[in-house]
Amino acid sequence: MRALVYDGEALRLREDYPQPVPPPGEALVRVRLAGICNTDLEIVRGYMGFQGVLGHEFVGTVVECADGTAAPSLVGRRVVGEINAYCGECPTCRAGRPTHCPNRTTLGIWGRDGAFAEYLTLPARNLYPVPDGLPDEAAVFTEPLAAALEILEQVHIRPTDRVVVLGDGKLGLLVAQVVALLGCDLVVVGRHPEKLAILARRGVSTALAGETDGLVADVVVECTGRPEGFATAKRLLRPRGTLVLKSTYHGQVEADLTALVVDEISLVGSRCGPFPPALRLLQRGLVDVRPLISEIYPLSEGEKAFARAAEPGTLKVLLRVEEG
Amino acid sequence: MRALVYDGEALRLREDYPQPVPPPGEALVRVRLAGICNTDLEIVRGYMGFQGVLGHEFVGTVVECADGTAAPSLVGRRVVGEINAYCGECPTCRAGRPTHCPNRTTLGIWGRDGAFAEYLTLPARNLYPVPDGLPDEAAVFTEPLAAALEILEQVHIRPTDRVVVLGDGKLGLLVAQVVALLGCDLVVVGRHPEKLAILARRGVSTALAGETDGLVADVVVECTGRPEGFATAKRLLRPRGTLVLKSTYHGQVEADLTALVVDEISLVGSRCGPFPPALRLLQRGLVDVRPLISEIYPLSEGEKAFARAAEPGTLKVLLRVEEG
């Protein structure tokens, strides 16, 4: 099959990549549309040491399931998929934290080929049917939107809170739309007027990065992906405020941890989130992902799509895998 | 009056330091007994840029109050004192966070002379009477014990949690005693067998720093005061666990913030805490501070006392100010 593969040195489109065979409990999914995430760009720079088919944001159609368990009702259905394949039996899984399963593989990130290919496999229990009316171009955002919703799983943001979302990239724009639904006093701080304008058109307050004087927040969500974002987030936070860290950085960061103690800051690391509420928000039109799409390429132009995704100012680049 | 003063270069005992005059709302306190904290040792190395009388752990007797408000009932009483003198009128104070008041002064740490002197002043509202039966040698631990209790103000530690307290210094031993009261599965990790033995005698499980294989905690409280303690705490924590940071470090720390995101760790900085519950625990004998006292010096030997407090392996060094 056709697949976009990172071999540890370069990203290459391969025409002859072996089609995956689903092991017991897993489904074979024909990929329809997939999204390029910053994590994909980082993997090509060495993050996680992953080699194989990239991609973890997708919408596809279930083709078959090896042993039939749970899957018959899914065959032929359009689905999105939770990217962490967990064992279900270790203490971490039994404690209700399957996305942290120490035995997990992660689609296109860790130990499991991803979605930039004609086919992928995932455990049937990881798949969620996409509501009929929801177009692929919206459903493909389920995974990053779930990651944005993870913040609300972890932190109680009050309607009366002043919240700052730092960063106007793909993730920042999704986080901002989710937080804006809470009715809180939200300001999104970014460096790109044209990206901030997407939010401003929805009535969300925005500020350019250099223009934050006097801004003091109860909660700051760090989505810049830049190490200096951490210090900026701390600076914008009131004592005893909450700093939600969504950014992953290259290597170690020089951090003023003593300032976190003196000001009794709560820092919450936040990664993957719940799919069902993400699908509900998309279906009900409460989050608008259309303005976040910069361009759609066919999978055959995957290398070009990656180059485009890496350009400054680009938002989401999608890969159309199944034509028509 | 006699006072132990740090002038930005050295710590010196002065015989002629001016006796403080309490401003309106403040009380004049004759110091009876005071404790040397690691923060005092750090200030002498330049922390906070403080100059003046050191010391913030004390028990004393109220001598007078400038304007009489609130204080008449306190005159002649033995008291301990919350060290943060707040304005009471700014948004932070009104929001119920007076220890974070941006206009605050802090006894012996920031903008206010401290307790290693014959007299100090503090706002009358900062003072708490010491129960009659509680000896000075216990009451002098109210401030650091309150700092230990601040952890329980901030974090919900469950009886079923596995908790690790990292560090067997003065603060670690107090934190361990407080956490042990919750019935949780507690292990205190330290480097000094003789200090860990203080806890072991109370039935608390302990481990030497090199012997933590297989230890996985829901909550880790970092009390080592050493930058490498941060990475150790992270390593001992389960995914989605809570890292309580009590240590302050010199300067910036190289930290793996991405690991906090991937494992969705909550980090909670923790500083000063509530006095009334600390006094209750001391009075009811639920925390035993006697084995934490390494030595008591008269104020006249303050420089010697500091040298002793700085020696490795020393626990609390107290300064007797009022003789008899």
Side-chain angles (χ1 to χ4, degrees), chain A residues 4 18 20 22 78 140 197 203 214 227:
Chain A
L4 201 53
R78 206 159 49 107
V140 75

Side-chain angles (χ1 to χ4, degrees), chain B residues 46-71:
Chain B
Y47 179 63
M48 300 296 291
F50 177 76
Q51 296 184 23
V53 180
L54 290 188
H56 56 275
E57 303 175 0
F58 75 94
V59 53
T61 307
V62 177
V63 176
E64 59 162 276
C65 185
D67 62 355
T69 49

Side-chain angles (χ1 to χ4, degrees), chain B residues 263-294:
Chain B
D263 290 334
E264 295 194 313
I265 300 301
S266 289
L267 188 157
V268 179
S270 178
R271 184 169 42 96
C272 297
F275 273 50
L279 284 166
R280 287 193 287 270
L281 288 183
L282 287 171
Q283 188 178 16
R284 295 170 57 200
L286 289 169
V287 172
D288 184 9
V289 296
R290 285 169 302 182
L292 274 61
I293 301 174
S294 288

